[in-house]
Amino acid sequence: MAFRKKAATPPPEPPQPRTLFEKIWDAHVVDRQDDGTCVIYVDRHLVHEVTSPQAFEGLRMAGRKVHRPDATIAVADHNTPTTTGAMDDESRIQVETLESNVAEFGVPYFDMNDPRRGIVHVIGPEQGLTLPGMTIVCGDSHTSTHGAFGALAFGIGTSEVEHVLATQTLIQKPAKNMRVAVEGSLPIGVTAKDVILAIIGRLGTAGGTGYVVEYAGRAIREMTMEGRMTVCNMSIEAGARAGLIAPDETTFKYLYGRPYAPKGGAWDLALGQWRRLPSDKTAVFDSQLDLLASDIPPMVTWGTSPQDALPITDVIPDPANAPDENRREAWARSLAYMGLTPGTRLVDVPIDRVFIGSCTNGRIEDLRAAAEIARGRKVASTVSAMVVPGSGLVKAEAEREGLDKIFIEAGFEWRLQGCSMCLAMNADRLEDGQRCASTSNRNFEGRQGRGGRTHLVSPAMAVAAAIRGTLADVRDFQ
Amino acid sequence: MEKFTTLSGVAAPLPMVNVDTDMIIPKQFLKTIKRTGLKEGLFYEMRWTADGQKKDFILDQPAYQNAKILVAGPNFGCGSSREHAPWALLDFGIRCIISEDFADIFYNNCFKNGILPIKVSKEIIAKLMDDASRGSNAIIEIDLEKQEIKGPDGGTVHFEIDAFRKKCLIEGLDDIGLTLEKKSSIDDFENRQKDSQPWLHTAT
Ligand code: SF4
């Protein structure tokens, strides 16, 4: 019978299901040693004035060049003044050093007068320099921000900055995978900032150590890119190496037409690849945390670690109720530093200063949310409040929309772009004992100025606090 | 980078949890364009009052002024990526930090500067914390080759460390030099990427 059996070809091995992190990692391995240590290729390197001078100096001493200036972008943001006044000498020298380094090594640079200048983690996405599937590094721990685009982005030290400048690679071992899912839709008055504070509260400040965290679930998918950046930005406050969110239509829509985003045929090619990035349905995570959006209220931190986050309706905790000995000591130390007494209602804590800005919450949507609460209201007479846009373009857009006027009429100062009082390296800082409601990301001792006391909140919550003169629940203003 | 083989010295106890890099070296010392001279800023706010008086911080106490080892609480070095933190520790004379666990970036930064961060269990930390609190009489010895910590009473404990990082420390290897030996792999990677993802190779 002329019936021939087909040669038995075994069915192709089903591809191993992979996470978003694993897909990006695998696509960037240049070399792998037997012990798992890899040389990883870096697609984008962001450089700023504070953590780069010693790296350029190292290159110079070894007679090395910048391997790919075209994959690098430099900007001054940490030290720069937010008023038109002069910089202190040391800051000026640092900015001048950056300027001479970028000139010497041929690195593209947004100079001090460039309207695109701003916080490095705000301008990357804004310019389309941040794209899905990329590896992105910067000598700054909040590089995790860029993970919002489905890019593997993390902070590195200055020696590694030098390593990337010289080789466009890093030596690393892969991280573990964690998935944090926030299901359901966020209640009114609750923002991305509240979500990430709630997550850090659950994970703890070291809970993410060794992991790359992928945020998922409906609440994350429903967020704008600005909100997703806020979430990924603070991944490092849970100790995570990086944060990631799968790219989707929201991501692509945000990126389309940005100056450095691919154009024409390259866009279509890129889009095809980006759509394949999300974690496979059956991918395995080493750890998983699930939250319900409806359980997350507006949050505020009370202590000196970002994990010290509570619902605004809560009271200052008592160290006697701490879960363990370490926490008990840490809480007691925090309370002494913060000048707070257990049992005090958070909404009864008076504040002196308000800071709206930073790479966590200094983007246009943050300023819109803040302006919405500020409109037609007045900052309390006991409070001094400032708004610092994340970039020159954010500032220009806010001014085009008239947000600056709303803030100024309400009694806020409207400043030039930069990191400003997020780390208080320039003239913007808290005085000893001053208490601040801040939209930044760290409430460490002395972070915003020696002896300064920081309460981390969302932009809308910061405005509510400015108006009431105490920490406040934004839901009372809506 | 200076090699790390063995180390013998006084260990200072710092049991606080979550010591962040802002604490290790506050921002005003980040304006430097050098790697050296940072010991002035080390733990600045814990060492000096706002009006410039010395507090009695552990590293200023006579017994610990020459400490080479820090026995630290968990999650040491969290927060900012500033490499000024290990630079300041090194400038003071600290070559080894022992803790239950470290924040990732700080941990990495230590190796780039010839500092050995050692992770051990909570129980061992408790014992070492105890040893360290005995002051300058309590000398602790570290042998990286053998991966051993020898306490003042002669007892030794073993610690784990990544083989590649160990080799780099012992030989004082320059990472960049090592990576540049793989230049042809990097070139190949770039050529492949130019074909498959051309948009990653258009100029900034
Ligand atoms: S805004 Fe703050 S956290 Fe962000 S890059 Fe600047 S200093 Fe770092």
Side-chain angles (χ1 to χ4, degrees):
Chain A
M1 210 164 68
F3 181 79
R4 245 185 328 136
K5 236 181 165 183
K6 257 193 177 167
T9 46
E13 282 277 318
Q16 194 70 14
R18 291 183 299 169
T19 63
L20 169 56
F21 164 67
E22 288 161 346
K23 291 180 188 185
I24 302 176
W25 179 271
D26 291 348
H28 288 86
V29 173
V30 171
D31 181 80
R32 187 183 275 115
Q33 297 177 23
D34 293 341
D35 71 344
T37 305
C38 293
V39 174
I40 287 293
Y41 196 78
V42 173
D43 295 324
R44 184 75 70 218
H45 187 189
L46 312 166
V47 172
H48 67 85
E49 79 277 24
V50 176
T51 57
S52 69
Q54 298 85 352
F56 283 113
E57 180 63 17
L59 288 186
R60 202 175 287 119
M61 276 163 34
R64 289 173 177 145
K65 291 199 186 62
V66 173
H67 181 66
R68 270 194 68 194
D70 66 303
T72 314
I73 181 92
V75 73
D77 56 359
H78 281 63
N79 245 324
T80 56
T82 57
T83 57
T84 46
M87 266 186 271
D88 67 86
D89 281 350
E90 280 181 299
S91 302
R92 191 176 42 74
I93 289 169
Q94 218 168 34
V95 173
E96 286 170 2
T97 304
L98 181 66
E99 288 178 344
S100 67
N101 283 331
V102 296
E104 180 182 342
F105 290 93
V107 171
Y109 176 60
F110 290 172
D111 70 34
M112 288 296 288
N113 299 316
D114 193 318
R116 297 170 299 176
R117 190 183 68 79
I119 304 171
V120 64
H121 309 309
V122 175
I123 67 171
E126 198 170 74
Q127 292 298 318
L129 289 162
T130 301
L131 298 170
M134 271 186 164
T135 46
I136 302 176
V137 302
C138 174
D140 187 285
S141 58
H142 292 99
T143 309
S144 57
T145 313
H146 309 264
F149 291 80
L152 177 60
F154 46 86
I156 54 179
T158 298
S159 296
E160 291 188 314
V161 169
E162 186 181 336
H163 194 280
V164 177
L165 288 172
T167 70
Q168 206 57 35
T169 67
L170 275 177
I171 302 176
Q172 279 212 344
K173 275 192 172 170
K176 289 180 285 181
N177 291 280
M178 184 188 297
R179 185 171 186 270
V180 174
V182 188
E183 292 301 348
S185 297
L186 293 177
I188 303 227
V190 178
T191 68
K193 182 65 163 284
D194 304 297
V195 170
I196 189 62
L197 286 173
I199 291 171
I200 298 165
R202 286 281 295 278
L203 284 178
T205 174
T209 304
Y211 288 95
V212 166
V213 177
E214 180 174 341
Y215 304 95
R218 180 170 181 159
I220 302 289
R221 281 198 304 278
E222 286 179 353
M223 283 179 190
T224 60
M225 288 317 294
E226 282 88 348
R228 295 178 188 186
M229 285 189 256
T230 301
V231 169
C232 286
N233 173 274
M234 290 190 72
S235 303
I236 181 71
E237 309 313 333
R241 194 93 182 98
L244 277 174
I245 293 172
D248 61 7
E249 296 312 311
T250 306
T251 321
F252 309 143
K253 202 165 153 228
Y254 177 99
L255 287 172
Y256 186 76
R258 300 260 162 194
Y260 293 93
K263 307 265 175 338
W267 171 263
D268 296 333
L269 184 62
L271 205 55
Q273 296 187 19
W274 296 344
R275 289 194 200 283
R276 292 198 291 273
L277 284 169
S279 294
D280 297 325
K281 287 220 163 51
T282 51
V284 181
F285 288 83
D286 304 287
S287 177
Q288 166 101 16
L289 174 69
D290 294 292
L291 285 89
L292 276 181
S294 55
D295 289 347
I296 304 175
M299 303 288 288
V300 56
T301 64
W302 56 268
T304 56
S305 169
Q307 71 186 356
D308 300 335
L310 283 174
I312 181 66
T313 47
D314 224 318
V315 298
I316 305 290
D318 190 336
N321 302 328
D324 58 58
E325 182 62 28
N326 272 344
R327 291 261 180 131
R328 185 153 34 248
E329 276 171 33
W331 286 15
R333 185 184 162 99
S334 282
L335 290 182
Y337 180 85
M338 295 294 288
L340 293 170
T341 321
T344 310
R345 295 192 318 159
L346 284 162
V347 291
D348 289 337
V349 174
I351 55 153
D352 310 298
R353 304 278 296 269
V354 167
F355 171 66
I356 297 174
S358 87
C359 60
T360 313
N361 281 130
R363 284 171 289 267
I364 188 67
E365 187 190 82
D366 299 311
L367 302 193
R368 287 184 193 133
E372 197 180 311
I373 307 296
R375 189 192 303 272
R377 297 195 168 100
K378 289 277 180 229
V379 171
S381 60
T382 50
V383 172
S384 122
M386 68 199 278
V387 184
V388 182
S391 73
L393 294 182
V394 169
K395 179 167 182 284
E397 174 59 20
E399 288 171 357
R400 202 186 60 77
E401 295 177 19
L403 306 184
D404 58 326
K405 298 217 175 51
I406 296 174
F407 287 123
I408 292 166
E409 271 162 29
F412 287 84
E413 286 184 61
W414 178 249
R415 295 291 188 91
L416 300 178
Q417 72 271 25
C419 293
S420 178
M421 209 161 72
C422 172
L423 92 165
M425 259 187 100
N426 67 2
D428 310 333
R429 64 180 72 129
L430 298 180
E431 301 299 326
D432 199 356
Q434 275 189 333
R435 188 182 299 285
C436 179
S438 176
T439 68
S440 55
N441 44 51
R442 287 194 173 129
N443 51 356
F444 295 160
E445 288 182 22
R447 172 77 178 184
Q448 295 194 292
R450 185 174 184 146
R453 296 158 170 169
T454 303
H455 296 274
L456 302 175
V457 289
S458 73
M461 287 280 283
V463 175
I467 291 159
R468 185 146 297 161
T470 62
L471 295 175
D473 190 334
V474 67
R475 293 171 297 190
D476 299 341
F477 289 75
Q478 284 163 332
Chain B
M1 185 179 80
E2 203 180 325
K3 293 179 182 172
F4 190 111
T5 49
T6 58
L7 180 71
S8 165
V10 172
L14 191 66
M16 272 176 74
V17 293
N18 303 332
V19 170
D20 59 70
T21 52
D22 273 81
M23 257 179 217
I24 299 174
I25 186 149
K27 64 208 125 240
Q28 63 268 35
F29 298 97
L30 309 190
K31 297 194 184 204
T32 178
I33 55 171
K34 303 203 181 78
R35 286 173 195 250
T36 49
L38 283 162
K39 70 165 175 254
E40 302 310 322
L42 181 65
F43 292 117
Y44 190 81
E45 288 173 13
M46 292 200 255
R47 294 173 79 183
W48 300 92
T49 63
D51 51 6
Q53 303 298 311
K54 241 189 176 150
K55 298 182 184 177
D56 197 27
F57 185 66
I58 186 86
L59 293 177
D60 289 321
Q61 295 169 15
Y64 298 107
Q65 277 169 358
N66 296 313
K68 292 183 185 164
I69 300 164
L70 208 54
V71 183
N75 197 29
F76 189 82
C78 60
S80 159
S81 62
R82 58 188 70 170
E83 200 164 315
H84 308 68
W87 294 337
L89 287 160
L90 190 64
D91 199 41
F92 179 90
I94 302 288
R95 291 287 314 271
C96 173
I97 305 160
I98 311 175
S99 174
E100 230 180 292
D101 64 86
F102 296 86
D104 282 338
I105 304 177
F106 177 83
Y107 185 74
N108 239 336
N109 284 342
C110 283
F111 287 99
K112 312 288 176 192
N113 291 282
I115 298 176
L116 171 63
I118 302 180
K119 291 184 207 177
V120 291
S121 69
K122 201 174 181 159
E123 292 69 39
I124 294 174
I125 282 292
K127 169 79 174 73
L128 289 171
M129 209 56 95
D130 223 47
D131 290 340
S133 56
R134 282 154 51 187
S136 56
N137 295 327
I139 299 290
I140 290 182
E141 289 172 46
I142 314 286
D143 187 328
L144 177 54
E145 181 55 54
K146 292 193 191 141
Q147 301 180 210
E148 272 177 9
I149 308 171
K150 195 195 246 175
D153 304 326
T156 60
V157 288
H158 184 82
F159 62 87
E160 291 303 326
I161 185 162
D162 180 280
F164 177 67
R165 293 185 192 269
K166 173 178 170 180
K167 177 176 147 85
C168 290
L169 270 186
I170 288 181
E171 296 177 23
L173 293 178
D174 163 27
D175 275 12
I176 299 179
L178 282 181
T179 301
L180 286 175
E181 287 171 15
K182 311 218 161 105
K183 175 124 190 352
S184 66
S185 306
I186 299 174
D187 291 345
D188 290 349
F189 180 92
E190 286 177 339
N191 288 330
R192 283 197 309 273
Q193 200 186 47
K194 270 181 208 158
D195 284 341
S196 61
Q197 294 166 298
W199 66 90
L200 295 177
H201 291 264
T202 44
T204 44

